Amino acid sequence: MNERDLRAWLGERASPAAAPDELRARVAAITAAPPVAAPRVGRRSLRRRSSWRNGLLLAAALAASLGGATLLAGRAGPTPDATTSLPLDRSLIAIASSGVALVDPVTGDRVLGLRTPLETWSAAWSADGRLLAFGLRDAIWTMDVETGAERMIAAVDGCRGERWWDCELAWSPDGGTIAVTLDSQLMLVDIASGAVVVRLDQPGAEVRSPAWSPDGATLAFLAGATLFTIPAASGPATVVVEESDEVWLPRDVAWSPDGGTLAWMAFPEAEPTGWKHIVIAASDAEGSNQRVLFEAGNCFCISGNWGPPGFGWSPDGTQMAFVTQEARGEFEPPSGGLFVIDADGTSKRFLIPSDGGRPLWRPRP
Amino acid sequence: VLGERVIDEVGEDRAATFDAFASRNLDAAYRVATAILGDPAAAQDATHDAFVAAWRGWPSLRDPSRFDAWFGRILVNTCRNALRRSRRTIVTDVSARLAAGSGGGDHAAEAAVRDSLDRAFARLSADHRIAVVLRFYEDLTVDEIADRTGVSSGTVKSRLHYALRALGVQLGQDVEESTR
């Protein structure tokens, strides 16, 4: 069987020359139908959210600062946009969303913007909270958030950071290794030598969301819609959670700081409107005791205009930060935001508008 | 470009623009959905859902130059949802085709090839089906498929490689290299 056979078969399979009249009538009726409200989250977050106009202004300011960055020759890395004191005991959330912003988790103040010569969605904190790692321009970079000193750690072809699915990073608790997921592979990058080792290759699956256990012994990751753990040193991967009717498309994984719980974002089936409802789910580290922790909001993930939702645990385990979207009205753009919530699912608070990205809570040294 | 008009339109203008867009793209969208799902009724529902999603999401389209990719992405997502909802219920009836090919000769051989493809394609995952249809029916490049499905180019190549192997399709060298 050859390519010609396949093309002919596909052509025959898609053989109707035109859509049936019944479908034509259904589609023609779409714009005539009365508006149906898109999903909304609780009123509390809506009250606290800045207006869309304010969001645009802030986004425009950030874009302006990012756009004003000097494009450095060759493999230029990120640079901070100002000299700002960032003592290590200061709690911060980094959010990589086509640039990186450091945000105060209590006030929502944008403390510092990190300018990158290209978009990057990939970032990870070092365990001591001094450095951020980035995937950018086919390489892994680190940057001291206090001084702006940057260093290219290793070349990793394809890790461009320009699109959120290009590659994702996680820094080991001992500071010596950065785990990188790219295509079907989980790689380990040695910080000191720059050596890159492929730890796992799962052909045919998209490997994403690496997350180190707090003791550094285990990595969690997603391959397709399945959540695995794998010993960092050697040994096979183990399935923790598989996609099912109850667990839909897990996305973005995080360990609790005590190492006892794995949490992930889950998308129950998309609404017909294209909205995806998002929950934060969790299990014990080996996959038992699966449960939904709380509802986190929605995303219009299929639009192609928004980054992915994401979440992260606070260093003391009492809170989570997450990025999701809210519908604003039938014909208004959805409003994305960075939120903080207590780990028991109460006291949800809006921080800043955000179009997507993974919130990264600065570790405590 | 139709998409450039979208952002500022309101009310009836917006509906008229959407209707024009739907009219222009309906046949092609239905054919793609049929190729992916293999079931006309499911394809109707998925196509309708895609246009509903596009209408609801119209204001979220920020970059008019990505208009086609935007709707294409919505369409493959609705097809993927349909497959996941009904992965055990969508079947392709090949009895008529087999009967037509029962006379022997070239027709029988063609029918056997198509039957083999029917069966193998039905066993593919949603993501693998979509990759094959976008590459060999819509003629998209690997990078375009990556953009439309929200995965990396490497993953698209991997999906195509494994899907074609599962389908038992041998590619010419130039095509092989483009999907490697």
Side-chain angles (χ1 to χ4, degrees):
Chain A
M1 210 175 311
N2 56 32
E3 182 192 348
R4 195 179 58 133
D5 294 328
L6 176 60
R7 289 184 181 275
W9 176 79
L10 285 169
E12 183 177 309
R13 185 176 167 89
S15 58
D21 290 343
E22 177 191 351
L23 174 60
R24 202 168 293 282
R26 289 170 68 192
V27 170
I30 291 172
T31 55
V36 177
R40 293 171 183 276
V41 297
R43 289 182 178 175
R44 182 198 321 219
S45 62
L46 289 174
R47 278 201 304 272
R48 297 204 50 159
R49 189 185 62 224
S50 302
S51 70
W52 178 248
R53 177 178 166 75
N54 287 343
L56 286 177
L57 289 174
L58 193 150
L62 178 59
S65 71
L66 295 173
T70 303
L71 288 179
L72 304 177
R75 278 180 159 155
T79 52
D81 64 359
T83 301
T84 303
S85 177
L86 298 171
L88 289 172
D89 60 354
R90 179 162 191 182
S91 184
L92 291 170
I93 296 172
I95 179 157
S97 172
S98 63
V100 180
L102 300 185
V103 179
D104 185 302
V106 176
T107 64
D109 292 338
R110 178 177 166 274
V111 176
L112 187 66
L114 304 178
R115 296 176 293 183
T116 55
L118 295 170
E119 283 194 355
T120 182
W121 296 90
S122 305
W125 281 106
S126 62
D128 64 6
R130 293 177 184 273
L131 305 176
L132 275 168
F134 298 91
L136 190 66
R137 287 190 167 175
D138 296 304
I140 306 299
W141 298 78
T142 62
M143 191 192 71
D144 186 315
V145 296
E146 186 76 33
T147 66
E150 64 179 54
R151 183 161 77 100
M152 197 184 90
I153 301 298
V156 177
D157 267 357
C159 188
R160 292 185 292 273
E162 300 163 33
R163 297 185 297 187
W164 57 264
W165 55 81
D166 277 342
C167 66
E168 292 178 296
L169 315 180
W171 207 319
S172 66
D174 69 5
T177 308
I178 294 175
V180 180
T181 53
L182 176 65
D183 296 337
S184 61
Q185 295 185 334
L186 170 66
M187 291 175 275
L188 300 178
V189 178
D190 183 74
I191 303 287
S193 67
V196 180
V197 175
V198 176
R199 176 69 185 85
L200 172 133
D201 193 354
Q202 190 87 355
E206 181 89 350
V207 176
R208 286 179 172 164
S209 298
W212 291 89
S213 61
D215 64 4
T218 306
L219 275 157
F221 63 94
L222 297 173
T226 302
L227 169 57
F228 291 86
T229 56
I230 189 170
S234 64
T238 304
V239 173
V240 178
V241 176
E242 286 185 280
E243 180 190 12
S244 69
D245 290 342
E246 289 74 37
V247 181
W248 191 263
L249 287 181
R251 156 81 209 165
D252 211 5
V253 178
W255 293 83
S256 63
D258 66 7
T261 302
L262 268 169
W264 62 91
M265 272 191 153
F267 301 150
E269 192 170 358
E271 299 285 326
T273 58
W275 281 92
K276 284 186 177 179
H277 181 56
I278 298 172
V279 300
I280 305 295
S283 74
D284 298 342
E286 70 283 358
S288 59
N289 191 24
Q290 290 181 30
R291 67 242 184 228
V292 171
L293 296 182
F294 55 86
E295 298 191 356
N298 305 280
C299 74
F300 198 81
C301 306
I302 63 174
S303 76
N305 290 274
W306 298 82
F311 82 109
W313 229 304
S314 68
D316 64 4
T318 62
Q319 298 177 89
M320 287 186 181
F322 59 91
V323 173
T324 55
Q325 298 167 9
E326 298 171 2
R328 299 179 65 247
E330 182 66 5
F331 292 111
E332 293 181 79
S335 172
L338 168 63
F339 300 85
V340 170
I341 194 168
D342 289 351
D344 63 2
T346 62
S347 302
K348 180 180 172 183
R349 304 177 294 285
F350 171 83
L351 287 186
I352 58 167
S354 175
D355 288 353
R358 191 182 202 184
L360 305 163
W361 218 302
R362 189 188 201 186
R364 287 187 305 196
Chain B
V1 178
L2 181 63
E4 290 176 349
R5 298 174 49 206
V6 170
I7 302 302
D8 295 324
E9 290 182 345
V10 295
E12 291 183 2
D13 284 346
R14 176 166 41 207
T17 305
F18 180 86
D19 287 342
F21 155 76
S23 177
R24 195 185 63 179
N25 290 278
L26 179 59
D27 291 340
Y30 177 63
R31 284 194 292 269
V32 169
T34 305
I36 293 171
L37 299 173
D39 176 81
Q44 278 200 46
D45 287 342
T47 306
H48 175 257
D49 285 354
F51 280 106
V52 170
W55 175 235
R56 298 277 182 252
W58 204 252
S60 74
L61 179 62
R62 295 178 179 180
D63 181 357
S65 68
R66 291 179 52 81
F67 191 82
D68 289 341
W70 175 77
F71 179 71
R73 199 169 184 188
I74 290 174
L75 181 65
V76 296
N77 272 285
T78 55
C79 289
R80 183 186 291 114
N81 283 341
L83 279 172
R84 285 180 165 156
R85 267 198 308 270
S86 314
R87 61 186 125 191
R88 291 181 186 81
T89 61
I90 293 178
V91 294
T92 303
D93 183 356
V94 297
S95 54
R97 191 183 298 155
L98 288 173
S102 62
D106 290 346
H107 290 306
E110 287 175 12
V113 165
R114 288 168 182 165
D115 180 43
S116 170
L117 283 168
D118 279 332
R119 293 172 189 277
F121 197 77
R123 286 195 292 270
L124 292 182
S125 72
D127 289 330
H128 287 87
R129 284 191 188 201
I130 288 167
V132 169
V133 169
L134 294 184
R135 178 71 187 89
F136 295 101
Y137 178 70
E138 286 232 83
D139 263 333
L140 300 186
T141 66
V142 166
D143 286 344
E144 287 169 337
I145 297 170
D147 196 41
R148 189 161 295 192
T149 55
V151 299
S152 66
S153 298
T155 297
V156 172
K157 289 178 182 177
S158 176
R159 286 177 180 172
L160 286 170
H161 176 78
Y162 283 89
L164 292 175
R165 196 171 68 176
L167 293 171
V169 173
Q170 304 286 325
L171 296 183
Q173 189 173 354
D174 54 336
V175 181
E176 176 79 35
E177 286 170 357
S178 74
T179 57
R180 190 176 290 157

